[in-house]
Amino acid sequence: MPLRQYVYFALSSRRITAQEITDLLGIEPDETRVINPRRLPADPAKPFCQVWKVVCREPGLCVDEQIARVLSRLRPKADRIAELMKQFNSAEDEEEPGLEARLEVVRYFNDDDEQQGEAGQPQEGEKHNLFGWALDREAIDFLAATGAYLDVDEYDMTPSSPSD
């Protein structure tokens, strides 16, 4: 079954920009994104939400390996991420977090457009299939230390038949 997958760690905020996150952490993101760039009445110059991401899209790696690559870049800044989470989420009058952290796993099954190979059959040099994965203790500790949550999105891209 064709499988395409990637992993990213994201910091999202409605109060600070992706550039401010970069400046505060001292790590350049792989990607940034503005979500729903409508203007808030209180501050028309700031976008609705900005997302700062460190990403691994390397094909042929299982999710555990992709997570390990992302977290290896972030681990030296884990304490700083935790400090920022406390700093921007300490106001009791805030209805929503000022900074949100998440580790995102995204998987597309039966995705013929961008195949990584047959996941059930190891490719040359591959010792495992790509379906199974787990979080190791270090990943769980990182999530707990930074206040991040894990989100897993899986999509079946099998074309529907005309009768569906």
Side-chain angles (χ1 to χ4, degrees):
M1 172 186 313
L3 172 66
R4 180 171 54 101
Q5 59 192 14
Y6 63 95
V7 168
Y8 65 86
F9 181 84
L11 292 170
S12 306
S13 181
R14 296 175 192 250
R15 293 179 31 202
I16 61 173
T17 67
Q19 183 59 54
E20 289 171 311
I21 294 169
T22 300
D23 295 343
L24 291 166
L25 283 181
I27 298 175
E28 285 294 324
D30 295 318
E31 299 174 11
T32 60
R33 181 173 171 214
V34 177
I35 298 173
N36 191 9
R38 68 180 168 95
R39 303 296 181 213
L40 296 173
D43 187 357
K46 286 203 173 187
F48 186 67
C49 183
Q50 291 205 17
V51 184
W52 177 100
K53 296 180 184 181
V54 171
V55 184
C56 180
R57 294 181 189 275
E58 189 170 332
L61 298 178
C62 64
V63 169
D64 328 41
E65 294 166 319
Q66 290 179 327
I67 289 171
R69 292 203 179 176
V70 167
L71 297 187
S72 70
R73 291 177 53 198
L74 295 168
R75 234 178 237 104
K77 299 292 184 171
D79 291 341
R80 185 66 180 132
I81 293 168
E83 288 171 19
L84 293 176
M85 291 291 288
K86 287 178 187 168
Q87 176 185 344
F88 288 101
N89 295 317
S90 63
E92 293 178 18
D93 60 336
E94 294 288 327
E95 289 184 20
E96 58 188 56
L99 186 62
E100 184 176 87
R102 75 179 178 280
L103 180 63
E104 185 87 29
V105 175
V106 182
R107 306 176 84 193
Y108 296 92
F109 297 93
N110 295 306
D111 187 8
D112 290 326
D113 293 338
E114 294 189 40
Q115 293 185 24
Q116 288 188 1
E118 294 293 324
Q121 299 180 1
Q123 301 299 307
E124 187 175 327
E126 185 179 1
K127 298 176 185 162
H128 54 275
N129 79 41
L130 300 178
F131 289 123
W133 63 278
L135 288 178
D136 63 18
R137 173 58 52 200
E138 287 183 24
I140 293 170
D141 290 346
F142 178 87
L143 295 176
T146 60
Y149 67 91
L150 173 66
D151 184 24
V152 179
D153 294 339
E154 296 185 331
Y155 304 97
D156 181 357
M157 304 303 286
T158 305
S160 58
S161 65
S163 62
D164 289 347

